[in-house]
Amino acid sequence: MLRSVGTSRNITTSRRVVAVMRLQGDLPTADKHQRRSGCALLLDAKGVLWATSLLECLTRFCFVISPTLLTNLESCTDAQPRMSATVRNPFQHIVEPLDLNDPKQQFYNLSKLGDPRYARLPFSIRVLLESAVRNCDEFLVKRSDVESILNWKQTQTQTVEVPFRPARVILQDFTGVPAVVDFAAMRDAVTKLGGDPEKINPVCPADLVIDHSIQVDFNRKSDSLHKNQDLEFDRNRERFQFLKWGSKAFKNLRIIPPGSGIVHQVNLEYLARVVFNQDGFFYPDSLVGTDSHTTMIDGLGVLGWGVGGIEAEAVMLGQPISMVLPEVVGYKLSGKPDKFITSTDIVLTVTKHLRQVGVVGKFVEFFGPGVAQLSIADRATIANMCPEYGATAAFFPVDDVSIQYLKQTGREAEKQAYITKYLKAVAMFRDYTDVAQDPDFTTVVELDLTTVVPCCSGPKRPQDRIAVSNMKTDFEACLGAKQGFKGFQVAQKHHNTVVPFHFNGSEYFLSHGSVVIAAITSCTNTSNPSVMLGAGLLAKKAIECGLSVKPYIKTSLSPGSGVVTSYLKESGVMEYLSQLGFEVVGYGCMTCIGNSGPLPVPVVEAITQGELVAAGILSGNRNFEGRVHPNTRANYLASPPLVIAYAIAGTVKIDFENEPIAVNCEGKAIFLRDIWPTREEIQAVERTFVIPSMFKEVYEKIDKVNKRWEALDAPSDKLYTWDPKSTYIKSPPFFDGLTKKLQPPKSIHDACVLLSLGDSVTTDHISPAGNIARNSSAARYLTNRGLNSRDYNSYGSRRGNDAVMARGTFANIRLFNKFINKQAPQTIHLPTGETMDVFDAAERYQQAGIPLMVLAGKEYGSGSSRDWAAKGPFLLGIMAVVAESYERIHRSNLVGMGVIPLQYLAGDTADSLGLTGRERYTIIMPEQLTPRMIVDVKLDTGKTFQARMRFDTDVELAYFRHGGILNYMIRKMS
C-alpha cells in the first residue's frame, strides 16, 4: 500500500527503491527541474511513494528496462526483493503476422501508423523509427521519441535526442579484448558491491572477429601465411586464451577464430542478417561496432556505425544508444563509370567530395539511377570509407541487387524470401530507378560517375585525392612544401638524393618517392571481387609482358576472407600474383592498421642515411602519418591493381600516361594501359568464378579454420583469474575505490596543460596500434618485466594491459606538440621545464596531485575508433580536453571515461584567445548541469574565456556524474 508522497531528495541510503514509473503529466508537487526533464514516481521498500525527475532516475537511482518489464536497479545498500511491472507497448495495435499462414511470426507494420510523414522519411531514418516503435516502453523509449523521429523533417536541425537499440554488436580483437577485460573487471566490481556477477553479460548478439593480431613478418614465400599465423599465435596465445574464456563465460558472445578474415568482410559475407527473425518477430538488422569502418555493412542495407568500445559495452548490457537525430544528406549517383574505373576510384572521389561538403555527424544516404550500376561490393567499398569523409553512416537501402548478393554469398532461399517480403511490407525496399520512392533529404549533392578518373589519396590523409595523372607532380610539390598534410619540407638541394644499397647480393638505389611497401590489404577492397580479380588479371598481363617487382619491396596480399583466395585460385590468377611477390600473408587487417612488420635492414639504413621520403602504397582506408610504417613518410591509398602497378614501377614519381611502367628484359617499354584490364574483362571472370558454393564451403567451417585455436585450452569459471605476471591481460584500475554512493562531479582547479596540439590529431597519435619503440616508456616497462625487445609485440595486441597502454598514450613518433615544436612523443614538464616522454611527465604531475588538460585544434580524435584513446588520457590524469571540434566517436569515448570534452565557442581558438598552454586552468562545475552548456574557464593570469561542455544529451550527463559509463553500469547492476 502506498502511504505517502514526498520528494526523492529525502530518500536515504537505508531505503531501497523497488520500482519506478514514468508519469504522463506533472505531479502537483513537482519542482521546476522535474517538470523540465519529466516526472517519475519511485516506490521504496517500505511502501512510500516519492516524486522525482527522469534525469534523477538516470543518475542517482539507476534503472534498467526492457520492452515488457520495468525493473529497478539503484545505488542504495540493503538487499530487498525486486518488483516489476508489465508495460504494454502503445504500438501493439500495428503488430500483425508477415504471413497469414504463420500467425506466430509477427512484425510492427509501420505502414499501419497511418502517418503520411513516414513515406517521406529517408530509409535510414525509417530504421531508427522501427526500433523506437518496437521498443517503446514509455520510459527509455517514449511515444514522444517516436513522434520526434516521424517529425524528422522539422526535428533534424533541433538537436533532438532519441534512443536507438541496435539489434547486435560487432567487435574486432584490438577493441574486443579491452571490452572483455572490462566485462571481467565489472564482474569483479559487481561481486565486491554485493551484486550478481552474471548480470554482466551481453543481452544482444555480439560477434568478435580476431583479425587485428597478425603481422607481415614473412612475405614473398609460399609458406608466408603459415609462418605468420604461427607467429601470431605464439605472440598472442595469452590474449587468445582470454578471449576463449570469454566465449565460455559470457552468453551471446561468439568469437570468430584467427585466420577467418577481416571483421567487416566476414560481417558482409556471413554475419549480416539484413532482417532479424527472432523471438517471433521480424525487424531490420542493425548494429554498432567497435571499429569505425563498421559502416561497411551499410552497403548491404544494414544500418550500422562505429562507436567507442565503452559505448558498445553498454549496448551489450542492454542500454540504448542516446543519439542526436541526424541530418541526412542525399547523395545522388548518376551515369555509368568508365570501363577502366574501379570502385576504389569512386570511393576516393566520394571521400574528397563529401569532406568538402561537410557531413560530420550526419547520415549520408545514396540514391539515384547510378546506384543501380554498382554491385554490393562497390557499395560496401563506398560505405566502408564513411569515417574518412566524416559521416556517421553511409546507407544504401536494400534493393534487388542486395537480394542477389545474398544469393551469391550462399544465404538460404527462405531467408531471401522473408527479407524481401518484410522490407516491402514496411516500405524499406528500394528501387533506385523509381524517383517516386526518393524521400526527403536535408540536402542533396550529386556525383556523375562518368566524371570519375583513376586516382589515389595521400600522402598523409584519405581525403586528399590525387588523379593518377597528377601523382608525379603532386609528390614533387609535397616534397618541398611546408611540413603539413601535403608537405615534407625537404630542402630543394636534397630533392634528387639517391642512396645505393645492397640486397640479396645485388645493388639497388632508393630516392624520394621510392616504393618500399606495396600491400593489397584491408576489407575496403579485398571484399570486392572486381578489384581483386582486376589485380590478378593485371598481374597476369604483367608477367606475360616480362615485368617484375624489385625484391626489396615488401609486397603482401592479405585477403579479407578465405573466399577471396578461392576465387583467385579458381580463376587462375593467383599464380601470377605470387610471381610478382603478392603471396597470401594472412587473413586480417595487417598493413592497413600498421601491422606491416619490419622492412629489410638495408632498406631502412638507406632511408635513414638519405633522410628519404619513402613511399608505401596500399589498398587500405587509412594512411595517417606514422600509421603504416615508421619509415614510410608518404603513404598512398589506391586500388589493388594500382598497388601492383606502383610496385612494378618502384616509385610514385611516375606519370603513367606518358612514361612506361617498366622496360622488360627485351628492352620493350611497357605502359600501364598495355596491361590494365577493362571492367568487362573483370566482370566476365567474376560471373564465372565467384559462386555461392565458395562462400558456403568457407563459412561452414569457420569455427574450425584454426586448429591451434580449436586445441587451445581455456578456463570456464564465471570470474576470471587474473595472472599478476601477465603482460597482456591485467585487471584495470577503472573501478578501484568505486562505491555505491554517487559522488558529486569534481571541479578542476589549477590544471596544467600536458600537451598543446594542432588540427587533425588522430587516435593513432593518441593511442598508437603499431610496434612498441625500443626507447619508449612502454618498452622500459616490458623490459623491467623480463621481456626482450623481440617480444614487445604491438600496442594493439597489448590493449588488455592498462600499464602498457597508459605508457603508450601519445607515444606516436609523429605527434607534433607545440611545446617542443617538433614531431616526437614528448612534452615539457612545465614546473621544471624538462623535456621528457609524455607518460613520464604525466606521472610527475600525478605524484604532485596536479590535474591535467589537453589543448587541441580541429577534428581532435579523428581516425579509428579506439577506446584507449580515451582510457589512456584518463589514466594519465587528464580531466578535460579543450578543442575546436571533435570526431564523433572519440568525443563519445571521452564522455564514457568521465573526461570533459570542452569546445571553444565559434570563432575562438587557442591562438585567438592568446593561450600558450603554460597557464593554469580552473573549471568550476555548476551544480545543475545541462547538455551543451557553456562554462567559464579561468586562468591563473586573471583571464577568463568561455567554452561549451560537449555533453550532448541528458544520458551523457548521467554517465559523467557517475564518473563514466562503466561506473554507471556497475552501480546499476549491483
Side-chain angles (χ1 to χ4, degrees):
M1 179 180 293
L2 303 180
R3 296 190 299 180
S4 62
V5 172
T7 172
S8 64
R9 293 188 180 88
N10 297 322
I11 297 180
T12 66
T13 56
S14 64
R15 293 197 174 186
R16 177 174 175 80
V17 178
V18 295
V20 57
M21 183 171 292
R22 179 179 183 272
L23 300 181
Q24 292 296 331
D26 289 333
L27 286 171
T29 59
D31 63 22
K32 185 188 299 182
H33 182 65
Q34 291 167 358
R35 290 192 184 99
R36 182 172 64 248
S37 70
C39 287
L41 292 179
L42 298 176
L43 176 65
D44 74 16
K46 297 183 179 180
V48 179
L49 193 64
W50 306 89
T52 185
S53 71
L54 287 180
L55 184 56
E56 192 166 11
C57 287
L58 280 169
T59 55
R60 189 174 171 204
F61 305 103
C62 300
F63 60 85
V64 66
I65 190 165
S66 71
T68 55
L69 291 180
L70 183 64
T71 62
N72 79 287
L73 284 161
E74 46 71 49
S75 58
C76 298
T77 53
D78 55 327
Q80 294 287 344
R82 292 186 181 163
M83 295 175 60
S84 65
T86 300
V87 179
R88 179 179 173 83
N89 187 314
F91 296 97
Q92 196 69 28
H93 64 283
I94 66 170
V95 173
E96 61 182 48
L98 184 62
D99 187 340
L100 294 176
N101 296 320
D102 190 3
K104 292 183 179 180
Q105 297 295 103
Q106 300 177 312
F107 73 109
Y108 283 82
N109 191 346
L110 301 185
S111 301
K112 295 293 180 67
L113 287 171
D115 194 315
R117 293 174 297 179
Y118 178 64
R120 303 307 308 157
L121 289 178
F123 283 64
S124 52
I125 299 299
R126 297 179 199 187
V127 178
L128 300 184
L129 178 67
E130 191 282 336
S131 175
V133 166
R134 177 167 39 87
N135 292 293
C136 187
D137 51 29
E138 286 298 357
F139 201 81
L140 282 185
V141 183
K142 303 185 285 289
R143 288 181 73 113
S144 59
D145 296 319
V146 173
E147 172 58 26
S148 292
I149 300 172
L150 267 171
N151 201 33
W152 171 84
K153 195 167 184 179
Q154 277 66 49
T155 55
Q156 59 175 307
T157 58
Q158 297 173 4
T159 320
V160 173
E161 173 194 353
V162 294
F164 175 55
R165 287 182 178 273
R168 59 189 176 98
V169 174
I170 196 163
L171 312 97
Q172 37 90 339
D173 57 302
F174 267 18
T175 52
V177 166
V180 180
V181 167
D182 287 346
F183 267 51
M186 289 170 74
R187 280 193 170 182
D188 291 344
V190 168
T191 301
K192 289 176 183 176
L193 293 180
D196 180 0
E198 290 204 55
K199 283 184 180 168
I200 302 296
N201 210 62
V203 297
C204 68
D207 297 291
L208 190 158
V209 181
I210 300 175
D211 67 348
H212 274 52
S213 300
I214 191 166
Q215 299 185 35
V216 191
D217 290 286
F218 299 94
N219 67 308
R220 284 184 171 260
K221 303 290 185 181
S222 59
D223 61 353
S224 297
L225 171 63
H226 299 298
K227 284 186 174 181
N228 288 329
Q229 287 182 332
D230 285 344
L231 196 51
E232 172 195 25
F233 213 95
D234 292 341
R235 285 173 173 154
N236 297 282
R237 181 184 179 85
E238 193 177 333
R239 295 171 65 242
F240 293 170
Q241 193 169 38
F242 174 70
L243 287 176
K244 198 160 188 181
W245 166 80
S247 68
K248 294 179 180 180
F250 297 106
K251 300 174 184 175
N252 281 332
L253 176 63
R254 179 182 180 184
I255 308 291
I256 305 296
S260 302
I262 302 175
V263 56
H264 307 305
Q265 187 163 340
V266 174
N267 191 20
L268 185 74
E269 295 176 352
Y270 177 60
L271 297 174
R273 282 76 157 178
V274 183
V275 169
F276 261 81
N277 178 9
Q278 189 164 305
D279 299 328
F281 276 90
F282 295 102
Y283 52 92
D285 187 5
S286 61
L287 71 150
V288 291
T290 58
D291 188 284
S292 52
H293 295 102
T294 299
T295 52
M296 182 171 178
I297 201 63
D298 291 346
L300 186 56
V302 176
L303 184 62
W305 61 86
V307 297
I310 304 159
E311 193 173 5
E313 291 168 36
V315 173
M316 291 165 70
L317 291 169
Q319 286 294 106
I321 286 175
S322 181
M323 62 183 294
V324 174
L325 199 59
E327 296 180 14
V328 181
V329 175
Y331 199 88
K332 186 176 182 180
L333 295 176
S334 60
K336 185 177 181 180
D338 182 81
K339 64 180 180 179
F340 293 112
I341 295 302
T342 68
S343 58
T344 315
D345 301 321
I346 296 171
V347 71
L348 295 180
T349 303
V350 169
T351 298
K352 182 176 182 178
H353 186 196
L354 285 175
R355 270 289 177 186
Q356 293 170 337
V357 170
V359 293
V360 173
K362 303 174 184 180
F363 283 4
V364 175
E365 186 168 309
F366 292 83
F367 75 109
V371 178
Q373 303 292 326
L374 303 177
S375 68
I376 293 302
D378 291 341
R379 299 176 195 180
T381 299
I382 296 169
N384 178 285
M385 287 192 70
C386 175
E388 281 64 55
Y389 41 86
T392 300
F395 194 62
F396 289 83
V398 173
D399 68 343
D400 286 325
V401 176
S402 313
I403 302 303
Q404 182 59 36
Y405 177 81
L406 296 178
K407 181 179 179 181
Q408 182 190 40
T409 51
R411 267 72 164 210
E412 296 89 341
E414 180 187 355
K415 288 184 179 180
Q416 298 171 39
Y418 72 65
I419 289 169
T420 304
K421 187 171 184 177
Y422 168 78
L423 292 175
K424 287 184 175 180
V426 293
M428 293 189 197
F429 197 90
R430 191 73 164 93
D431 179 354
Y432 288 101
T433 63
D434 183 1
V435 295
Q437 286 191 11
D438 292 350
D440 293 331
F441 293 111
T442 307
T443 188
V444 171
V445 291
E446 185 171 353
L447 174 66
D448 182 350
L449 294 174
T450 62
T451 65
V452 177
V453 298
C455 56
C456 301
S457 280
K460 302 180 185 181
R461 295 191 304 182
Q463 62 262 42
D464 294 328
R465 184 187 70 89
I466 314 144
V468 169
S469 58
N470 297 329
M471 187 75 157
K472 181 178 181 178
T473 56
D474 187 86
F475 177 82
E476 290 172 339
C478 290
L479 201 58
K482 183 180 178 181
Q483 182 71 38
F485 299 124
K486 295 288 287 184
F488 297 103
Q489 206 163 334
V490 175
Q492 180 66 40
K493 63 181 180 180
H494 297 307
H495 282 203
N496 296 318
T497 298
V498 176
V499 181
F501 70 99
H502 285 83
F503 181 78
N504 290 347
S506 298
E507 187 178 40
Y508 298 96
F509 301 89
L510 288 184
S511 59
H512 294 297
S514 289
V515 172
V516 294
I517 290 178
I520 298 177
T521 181
S522 170
C523 52
T524 307
N525 285 289
T526 67
S527 62
N528 194 326
S530 67
V531 291
M532 295 302 290
L533 288 169
L537 291 172
L538 185 142
K540 179 176 183 292
K541 293 184 178 185
I543 292 294
E544 290 170 347
C545 287
L547 305 184
S548 62
V549 175
K550 294 180 177 66
Y552 63 80
I553 296 176
K554 188 159 192 178
T555 50
S556 61
L557 168 60
S558 51
S561 79
V563 174
V564 179
T565 308
S566 294
Y567 65 65
L568 289 178
K569 286 181 177 179
E570 289 297 318
S571 62
V573 298
M574 188 67 233
E575 62 176 289
Y576 299 102
L577 288 164
S578 298
Q579 288 181 56
L580 287 179
F582 289 90
E583 289 279 4
V584 173
V585 295
Y587 296 96
C589 297
M590 304 189 86
T591 301
C592 188
I593 58 163
N595 287 356
S596 49
L599 288 173
V601 172
V603 172
V604 173
E605 290 175 346
I607 293 171
T608 305
Q609 177 187 334
E611 296 183 351
L612 298 177
V613 179
I617 189 90
L618 64 151
S619 64
N621 46 42
R622 294 272 165 83
N623 58 339
F624 300 125
E625 197 170 17
R627 177 185 176 97
V628 175
H629 193 282
N631 295 114
T632 57
R633 293 169 62 189
N635 295 283
Y636 292 92
L637 306 182
S639 66
L642 277 176
V643 169
I644 295 176
Y646 281 108
I648 294 171
T651 180
V652 296
K653 290 199 314 182
I654 183 171
D655 178 356
F656 281 132
E657 291 186 7
N658 298 303
E659 298 177 54
I661 188 172
V663 176
N664 65 17
C665 58
E666 298 174 356
K668 182 180 179 181
I670 307 297
F671 287 80
L672 181 58
R673 57 179 172 268
D674 298 329
I675 59 174
W676 192 270
T678 66
R679 201 173 181 89
E680 287 75 14
E681 287 180 85
I682 296 167
Q683 289 173 345
V685 176
E686 182 177 352
R687 282 192 297 269
T688 305
F689 294 103
V690 184
I691 54 178
S693 60
M694 284 184 178
F695 293 88
K696 287 183 178 179
E697 182 180 350
V698 167
Y699 286 111
E700 280 176 354
K701 58 184 181 183
I702 192 169
D703 292 321
K704 299 180 180 180
V705 70
N706 193 310
K707 298 300 181 185
R708 292 188 67 176
W709 173 267
E710 277 194 274
L712 185 63
D713 187 39
S716 56
D717 300 334
K718 297 303 178 185
L719 295 178
Y720 186 70
T721 303
W722 306 95
D723 180 0
K725 297 179 181 179
S726 173
T727 57
Y728 278 103
I729 306 297
K730 178 177 175 291
S731 181
F734 306 135
F735 315 122
D736 292 353
L738 181 67
T739 62
K740 285 189 176 182
K741 187 176 180 181
L742 188 61
Q743 304 298 318
K746 294 181 180 179
S747 296
I748 301 173
H749 295 279
D750 292 324
C752 281
V753 173
L754 181 63
L755 294 151
S756 179
L757 306 171
D759 295 341
S760 296
V761 173
T762 71
T763 52
D764 283 289
H765 290 115
I766 304 169
S767 182
N771 291 331
I772 297 171
R774 296 185 181 188
N775 61 348
S776 65
S777 295
R780 291 193 290 273
Y781 168 82
L782 292 171
T783 299
N784 291 337
R785 304 278 296 194
L787 271 69
N788 295 316
S789 59
R790 66 176 179 273
D791 298 320
Y792 288 167
N793 210 334
S794 65
Y795 284 112
S797 67
R798 292 193 180 273
R799 284 182 179 167
N801 186 315
D802 62 272
V804 174
M805 297 309 296
R807 287 164 172 80
T809 304
F810 296 110
N812 192 312
I813 62 172
R814 300 300 178 193
L815 179 74
F816 188 88
N817 180 8
K818 294 179 183 178
F819 282 163
I820 60 174
N821 201 33
K822 66 177 182 179
Q823 289 183 333
Q826 294 182 318
T827 193
I828 293 176
H829 180 251
L830 296 177
T832 63
E834 293 179 67
T835 298
M836 59 184 68
D837 287 349
V838 173
F839 174 82
D840 297 336
E843 193 172 44
R844 280 205 195 178
Y845 283 120
Q846 285 187 314
Q847 289 168 353
I850 299 174
L852 296 173
M853 294 174 57
V854 169
L855 301 183
K858 300 181 184 69
E859 299 175 349
Y860 181 72
S862 57
S864 300
S865 162
R866 286 193 186 154
D867 55 346
W868 269 110
K871 290 176 177 176
F874 169 81
L875 292 178
L876 294 185
I878 293 169
M879 298 185 69
V881 177
V882 190
E884 293 177 50
S885 64
Y886 292 88
E887 193 278 337
R888 176 185 60 84
I889 299 175
H890 184 62
R891 185 199 63 81
S892 173
N893 275 339
L894 290 174
V895 172
M897 287 307 299
V899 177
I900 304 171
L902 293 166
Q903 187 165 328
Y904 296 109
L905 299 186
D908 285 351
T909 66
D911 290 340
S912 71
L913 295 170
L915 304 180
T916 66
R918 296 175 182 271
E919 309 88 352
R920 301 290 284 267
Y921 293 70
T922 294
I923 305 166
I924 304 298
M925 299 300 292
E927 197 170 311
Q928 291 292 331
L929 297 174
T930 57
R932 298 179 66 87
M933 73 182 300
I934 294 174
V935 294
D936 290 333
V937 182
K938 299 179 181 179
L939 311 181
D940 63 345
T941 60
K943 183 183 241 181
T944 297
F945 69 92
Q946 291 188 316
R948 187 179 302 281
M949 282 201 302
R950 287 295 310 278
F951 301 118
D952 289 356
T953 67
D954 279 332
V955 173
E956 288 188 344
L957 280 174
Y959 294 157
F960 174 69
R961 285 187 173 95
H962 280 267
I965 191 171
L966 301 182
N967 293 355
Y968 171 85
M969 297 303 300
I970 288 172
R971 287 193 176 104
K972 191 172 82 169
M973 297 295 183
S974 300

